[in-house]
Amino acid sequence: MTVCVVLASLILFSCVQEAGIPAPYEEINGADVTGSLEYSNSYGDYIFVPSREVHINSLWVSDHEVTQSEYECFCYYKVAPDEDTGKGKNFPAFNVSWFDAIIYCNFLSIKKGLTPAYSVNGSVNPALFPGAENYENTSRKYRAPDDAESLWVQIEFNEIADGYRLPTEAEWEYIARGGDGGIPKKQTKYPGSNSADSVSWYKANSASAIHTPAQKKENSIFIYDLAGNVKEWCWDWYGEVTSSTGELGADSGEKRVLRGGAFNSDSRYCEVSARDCLSPSERSPSVGFRLVRTIAGKSAGKKHSSSGGGDGAESGASCCSGADSGEGADE
């Protein structure tokens, strides 16, 4: 019996090592967060402003940025990753627009039998989004149309869906600050440390390239690469945040929020409250994304995964197996 257990453990370990991806999801408790000056940065651009009250849902949070092997299950690039920046199945996906990320989220949700978080003109299947048929390749993979901003103006976010999605900006910073039932009183300059070098790949230490996940120290809730490597898309429009700003950020805008800094960023852009933005149709070698899922009816308590998540937390590493993208979603 002991030999069998040891052999099984070795087999599991070898699979994890081959995947090269850490245990994929952490379960965190939500909270009602009231803003404070202590959350500000030296540039005065921050989101948890005094008197702003934000409800954060309990979430499954991917401990790594979406990798190239995961992304390529359903999507293809307009400009493929290059060797100089970082090309390989376990490197973070980049050259991904906000719209591309929306497509990926919905396809993965459909694949896993979950309710997609996003819809365009009433449809949750990205294959049926306006113009999508012109951007399907021979492998039945998709990318967003170059004119998605004019075609997908009616994109809607179902806040109660249990599918994969981008975090809101408030959720992203809550996660980066180690939020789990509330934001800890003791805070650090960067997510998980006062030293950029210990938690991030940025301009001073990255050798002008991205790196595979989890080589740097995780934050207090076991999430990696929240600073540096690639910037991460959030749902929100970029705009001024005031005490009356809703949980989903600005009501409108021209650019979507990016958080976390990148391999080519100065350290100040990797600070936990630093903000950035980009047009949702633009693609950049320094931009990727991370997934979260809302946990409906979450009870109290903590659960940190150590071998691949828990109930409802599937590893994105296996997303290519089984049905084709879009199967079962005819809306």
Side-chain angles (χ1 to χ4, degrees):
M1 179 67 71
T2 302
V3 173
C4 292
V5 171
V6 171
L7 286 175
S9 298
L10 288 173
I11 291 170
L12 175 61
F13 179 77
S14 66
C15 290
V16 172
Q17 288 297 96
E18 182 178 352
I21 300 171
Y25 287 88
E26 294 293 342
E27 181 180 346
I28 67 167
N29 292 302
D32 293 317
V33 177
T34 300
S36 170
L37 284 173
E38 68 184 38
Y39 300 134
S40 64
N41 58 33
S42 56
Y43 308 100
D45 187 14
Y46 60 107
I47 63 163
F48 288 131
V49 298
S51 300
R52 184 191 184 198
E53 296 182 357
V54 182
H55 174 72
I56 305 293
N57 289 311
S58 293
L59 298 167
W60 287 109
V61 180
S62 176
D63 72 358
H64 65 280
E65 295 156 334
V66 171
T67 65
Q68 292 171 25
S69 63
E70 292 172 332
Y71 184 72
E72 291 163 18
C73 288
F74 308 112
C75 300
Y76 72 97
Y77 308 93
K78 181 177 182 179
V79 178
D82 60 276
E83 297 285 355
D84 290 340
T85 305
K87 181 179 180 180
K89 64 180 183 178
N90 296 327
F91 285 88
F94 59 92
N95 290 335
V96 175
S97 73
W98 185 87
F99 289 117
D100 292 333
I102 294 297
I103 289 174
Y104 177 83
C105 289
N106 270 26
F107 273 139
L108 181 58
S109 297
I110 292 167
K111 174 69 178 181
K112 298 297 185 180
L114 303 169
T115 301
Y118 307 114
S119 63
V120 177
N121 293 352
S123 175
V124 298
N125 187 347
L128 302 180
F129 288 179
E133 69 276 6
N134 298 321
Y135 291 87
E136 177 186 4
N137 68 9
T138 56
S139 299
R140 292 194 64 196
K141 297 180 182 180
Y142 291 81
R143 69 173 177 85
D146 295 330
D147 54 350
E149 286 178 89
S150 59
L151 291 172
W152 298 0
V153 291
Q154 297 301 320
I155 191 164
E156 295 183 352
F157 172 24
N158 179 359
E159 298 175 54
I160 63 172
D162 64 353
Y164 295 91
R165 61 178 177 84
L166 301 175
T168 66
E169 186 177 18
E171 288 171 339
W172 189 97
E173 187 164 326
Y174 179 81
I175 294 162
R177 290 185 177 278
D180 192 2
I183 295 177
K185 290 183 178 180
K186 184 178 180 181
Q187 284 294 305
T188 53
K189 188 174 183 179
Y190 306 98
S193 177
N194 286 316
S195 165
D197 286 284
S198 68
V199 293
S200 64
W201 295 110
Y202 68 110
K203 190 174 182 179
N205 67 4
S206 70
S208 301
I210 62 172
H211 295 259
T212 53
Q215 294 190 49
K216 293 292 186 177
K217 180 179 179 290
E218 74 275 25
N219 78 344
S220 61
I221 54 171
F222 310 103
I223 310 298
Y224 295 89
D225 299 310
L226 286 159
N229 228 17
V230 291
K231 299 175 187 177
E232 300 178 11
W233 287 113
C234 295
W235 161 260
D236 310 42
W237 290 110
Y238 183 85
E240 181 184 3
V241 177
T242 69
S243 60
S244 61
T245 301
E247 294 169 3
L248 302 185
D251 293 330
S252 61
E254 296 181 355
K255 298 182 179 183
R256 295 283 181 170
V257 169
L258 292 168
R259 298 299 298 263
F263 70 92
N264 55 359
S265 299
D266 291 333
S267 61
R268 64 177 180 170
Y269 296 111
C270 297
E271 293 181 17
V272 71
S273 56
R275 307 178 70 208
D276 202 352
C277 60
L278 195 67
S279 167
S281 62
E282 288 189 64
R283 301 174 174 100
S284 167
S286 63
V287 174
F289 64 109
R290 182 186 304 270
L291 301 180
V292 301
R293 284 182 55 196
T294 301
I295 305 176
K298 172 69 172 61
S299 59
K302 299 180 181 180
K303 180 179 180 182
H304 292 300
S305 63
S306 58
S307 60
D311 296 339
E314 304 90 341
S315 169
S318 61
C319 67
C320 290
S321 60
D324 292 333
S325 60
E327 184 172 323
D330 54 3
E331 296 181 0

